[in-house]
Amino acid sequence: MTAPKLPETPAVLVVRRALREWVLAHGGQGPVVVALSGGADSLALVAAAVVETGPVTAVVVDHRLQDGSAEVARRAADQALALGCAQARIVAVEVGRAGGMEAAARSARYAALESVRDGRPVLLGHTLDDQAETVLLGLARGSGGRSIQGMASWIEPWGRPLLGVRRAQTEQVCADLGIEAWRDPHNDDPAYTRVRVRNEVLPLLKDVLGGGVAQALARTADQLRADGAVLDDLARELLNAARMPAGRRRAVLGETRPPTAEGSSSARPAGGADNTDRSALAIEILTTAPAALRRRAVRAWLTEQGVSGLMNTHLQAIDELVGNWRGQGGVAIGGGSRAHRLVVVREHGTLTVRAQPRFDAT
């Protein structure tokens, strides 16, 4: 289908320019998937993507959480085709309960998009206003600089070309195109913290601090993300220097089985859990780096091993094993199985991860 000519209004030009710059920064034109809810942000994204990228497939995820959701999805798909999309697909999903409805719906949505993207990047309609809300929510969690870096414009396969565009501009694009956007009732429900941040906190900050609050929060996220990328590179260098594969560690120690605690003999891991292939980090190398860099390296190391749900309290306690060793026990972390938990322990001058039966003390 031939894409309709877009009017050259200020709002349309802003959104098109954002798409064009994103495309140029990430490899040039090619086929893309656009996640479409039927709201103003994603409709404006579809309209610009049809003109500025290669063939566009709009994917509407029907979460089936509200009456009439199927009709909303059909209408959004029809609008996508009218805007010139090569294809519009509707994917119905089952939303679980893990982490609450909002988190479960997000997980189901991303899984659905991943299942149909067929190697193509997926463009998401998050705006500067969404970025500002994300930064404030991260600040409230108090989890350090990483939590207030906001959303990146590209983490494969997810692209966010509109992070410099205001929500009012996407709404104006729809008005300029004569498109009626769907308004999700959940976006006005104060039961959701993000909605209260959007409708109460940000307007109050604007009133007290003056205009430009959302832009300032978004700039802060950009700056922290750039700083974080440099620190992550340094942490990777430290991690590679400190890394001690299990085979090498046992060879250095002259062991045939892995040890179980700092300075202990090579007893078999309790419960029959296989710890023999886990890598370790050399304490001697880790102590040469500042604590902040050590924690980043440890986070990356644990993430490689499938550890999830790491919090600052975990990283602080693990760093105590490195920089303030007093003979304390290990630090229990997320992951493992129903029978075993994962524990970071210090042993023979290394940090390593052990699987312990869940009834054992740390």
Side-chain angles (χ1 to χ4, degrees):
M1 176 181 292
T2 302
K5 182 176 175 59
L6 299 181
E8 295 187 354
T9 65
V12 169
L13 293 175
V14 165
V15 174
R16 285 189 61 179
R17 182 167 59 249
L19 260 291
R20 189 179 308 123
E21 291 175 353
W22 188 93
V23 167
L24 289 173
H26 297 95
Q29 289 188 338
V32 298
V33 169
V34 175
L36 175 63
S37 68
D41 299 339
S42 58
L43 281 171
L45 177 60
V46 164
V50 166
V51 178
E52 302 293 344
T53 72
V56 176
T57 296
V59 176
V60 187
V61 178
D62 180 5
H63 300 87
R64 298 190 286 192
L65 294 174
Q66 302 172 29
D67 291 340
S69 66
E71 178 56 35
V72 170
R74 281 194 297 272
R75 180 177 174 227
D78 290 342
Q79 289 173 318
L81 293 174
L83 286 169
C85 285
Q87 187 180 14
R89 298 184 59 177
I90 299 172
V91 182
V93 297
E94 291 291 340
V95 175
R97 298 182 179 180
M101 188 182 75
E102 191 174 12
R106 181 169 55 251
S107 295
R109 178 167 62 254
Y110 278 71
L113 292 167
E114 176 65 46
S115 71
V116 300
R117 72 181 186 89
D118 194 24
R120 295 166 293 181
V122 180
L123 305 187
L124 308 169
H126 296 117
T127 65
L128 184 148
D129 298 86
D130 295 308
Q131 183 78 299
E133 294 159 14
T134 300
V135 172
L136 280 179
L137 290 168
L139 183 63
R141 287 197 299 272
S143 300
R146 190 180 298 272
S147 69
I148 53 175
Q149 288 180 13
M151 298 172 284
S153 64
W154 173 245
I155 297 180
E156 190 175 0
W158 315 108
R160 297 178 174 89
L162 303 187
L163 289 179
V165 176
R166 299 302 303 267
R167 184 174 293 129
Q169 291 171 312
T170 64
E171 292 171 347
Q172 186 60 50
V173 168
C174 291
D176 293 342
L177 297 178
I179 300 173
E180 184 179 354
W182 176 63
R183 189 171 182 86
D184 186 348
H186 287 158
N187 288 340
D188 295 312
D189 187 347
Y192 298 104
T193 304
R194 181 178 286 272
V195 171
R196 297 197 66 186
V197 168
R198 177 182 305 147
N199 294 336
E200 299 175 39
V201 177
L202 276 168
L204 178 61
L205 288 174
K206 182 178 179 181
D207 181 54
V208 173
L209 301 177
V213 170
Q215 295 95 321
L217 289 167
R219 283 197 307 273
T220 298
D222 290 341
Q223 293 162 5
L224 284 169
R225 201 160 44 252
D227 292 347
V230 174
L231 290 171
D232 285 342
D233 286 342
L234 294 173
R236 264 190 297 274
E237 292 178 8
L238 175 63
L239 175 57
N240 290 333
R243 199 186 300 275
M244 206 171 189
R248 176 185 159 207
R249 175 166 53 93
R250 293 198 297 276
V252 169
L253 296 172
E255 296 176 330
T256 57
R257 294 190 303 268
T260 56
E262 176 80 10
S264 70
S265 62
S266 53
R268 183 177 178 82
D274 183 8
N275 292 307
T276 58
D277 292 330
R278 296 191 183 278
S279 68
L281 301 183
I283 299 287
E284 182 181 12
I285 301 296
L286 291 175
T287 54
T288 65
L293 205 56
R294 289 199 301 261
R295 289 192 291 270
R296 280 181 178 262
V298 167
R299 176 191 287 275
W301 172 61
L302 293 174
T303 300
E304 288 175 358
Q305 299 183 69
V307 175
S308 60
L310 280 172
M311 300 178 65
N312 191 53
T313 51
H314 294 126
L315 296 172
Q316 294 280 2
I318 294 169
D319 195 63
E320 288 284 298
L321 297 177
V322 176
N324 191 23
W325 171 246
R326 307 179 305 279
Q328 65 266 41
V331 179
I333 52 178
S337 64
R338 294 182 63 183
H340 296 88
R341 64 178 181 173
L342 298 181
V343 181
V344 178
V345 298
R346 173 171 172 152
E347 57 185 30
H348 291 297
T350 68
L351 277 187
T352 191
V353 179
R354 291 284 177 222
Q356 295 181 352
R358 289 196 178 272
F359 55 77
D360 272 11
T362 300

